[in-house]
């Protein structure tokens, strides 16, 4: 029996984000590799959606490590309360410092007009777990190596420096132009705030992209093998 992929994210903040997440779930389901159940909403709504799925499940975060604080907290609670005692459930890690994803992010920077003279800010959401911060730092290092240019991390919530502070720091260091690499899977209110910054170029979130679908399905296949072992 092929385990159901349950895609999990918080979408309680805006309808535009919900639409993007539902499009992602539909694109994964269209591959026909596994049944897909979207579990998007507030914590209680997601918990109920997960409990309603019969049979084995692979619970896959529909967000990036360090890129969605609200979803990360909800997912951690879900794994602790609803999945810990289930032998037929396997949660996977959020997408993070995957070479193919970092390469796609570099490509989006180039498409947005980045040149080697520009400063680069990796705009992440932040979170409560140090491992998320380490993941974001790993992404920044990988992106810097790929671009052959320094990358400054900036955060939209919680941690310092903020994205505006990171942009200003680069400008004080002589970068007249600054490009922002958006470390987000889908659009949302935080992305709208990044749009409002003056004098920067901004990459789109990583979805839509066939690479995101490929990577989520690869996570499902690996978890399916663990469940069968």
């Amino acid at each position: 029996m092929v385990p159901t992929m349950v895609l999990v994210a918080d979408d309680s903040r805006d309808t535009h984000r919900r639409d993007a997440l539902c499009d992602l779930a539909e694109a994964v389901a269209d591959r026909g590799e596994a049944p897909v159940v979207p579990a998007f909403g507030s914590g209680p709504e997601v918990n109920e959606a997960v409990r309603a799925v019969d049979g084995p499940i692979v619970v896959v975060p529909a967000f990036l490590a360090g890129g969605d604080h609200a979803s990360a907290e909800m997912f951690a609670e879900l794994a602790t309360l609803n999945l810990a005692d289930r032998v037929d459930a396997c949660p996977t890690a959020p997408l993070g410092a995957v070479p193919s994803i970092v390469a796609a992010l570099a490509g989006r920077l180039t498409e947005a007009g980045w040149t080697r003279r520009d400063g680069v800010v990796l705009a992440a959401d932040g979170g409560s777990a140090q491992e998320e911060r380490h993941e974001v730092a790993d992404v920044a290092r990988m992106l810097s190596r790929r671009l052959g240019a320094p990358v400054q991390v900036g955060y939209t919530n919680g941690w310092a420096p903020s994205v505006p502070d990171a942009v200003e720091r680069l400008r004080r260091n002589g970068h007249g132009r600054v490009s922002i690499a958006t470390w987000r899977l889908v659009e949302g209110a935080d992305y709208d705030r990044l749009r409002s910054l003056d004098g920067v170029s901004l990459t789109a979130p990583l979805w839509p992209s066939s690479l995101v679908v490929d990577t989520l399905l690869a996570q499902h296949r690996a978890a399916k093998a663990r469940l069968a072992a």
Side-chain angles (χ1 to χ4, degrees), residues 109-110 112-115 118-123 147 151-152 167 170-171 175-182 199-203:
L109 274 169
T110 301
W114 174 81
T115 71
D118 299 344
V120 179
V121 173
L122 177 68
L147 296 174
V151 174
Q152 166 77 55
V167 170
L170 287 169
R171 286 174 174 158
H175 294 282
R177 282 170 38 98
V178 177
S179 295
I180 296 179
T182 305
V200 299
S201 62
L202 178 66
T203 69

Side-chain angles (χ1 to χ4, degrees), residues 133-200:
R133 189 162 194 157
H134 294 155
E135 193 79 23
V136 171
D138 287 343
V139 172
R141 282 191 290 269
M142 292 171 66
L143 183 61
S144 177
R145 287 196 298 269
R146 180 165 285 274
L147 296 174
V151 174
Q152 166 77 55
V153 177
Y155 296 102
T156 56
N157 290 295
W159 293 333
S162 68
V163 173
D165 286 347
V167 170
E168 287 307 311
R169 182 182 299 176
L170 287 169
R171 286 174 174 158
R172 288 196 302 270
N173 290 337
H175 294 282
R177 282 170 38 98
V178 177
S179 295
I180 296 179
T182 305
W183 187 240
R184 297 193 68 84
L185 197 60
V186 298
E187 291 190 17
D190 290 336
Y191 185 73
D192 292 338
R193 291 205 299 271
L194 294 177
R195 277 198 183 110
S196 70
L197 293 175
D198 292 331
V200 299

Side-chain angles (χ1 to χ4, degrees), residues 24 60-67 92-98 101 135-136 139 183 185 206 211-219:
L24 172 59
V60 180
F63 56 90
L64 301 175
T92 72
L95 301 182
V98 179
I101 290 178
E135 193 79 23
V136 171
V139 172
W183 187 240
L185 197 60
L206 288 171
L211 173 63
V212 172
V213 177
D214 293 341
T215 309
L216 293 176
L217 286 170
Q219 285 187 300

Side-chain angles (χ1 to χ4, degrees), residues 8 19 43 46-47 50 55 87 90 104 126 143 164 193:
V8 170
D19 290 343
V46 168
N47 290 338
V50 171
V87 296
C90 183
L143 183 61
R193 291 205 299 271

Side-chain angles (χ1 to χ4, degrees), residues 64-79:
L64 301 175
D68 189 335
H69 175 56
S71 291
E73 288 200 336
M74 184 185 66
F75 188 81
E77 182 178 339
L78 172 69

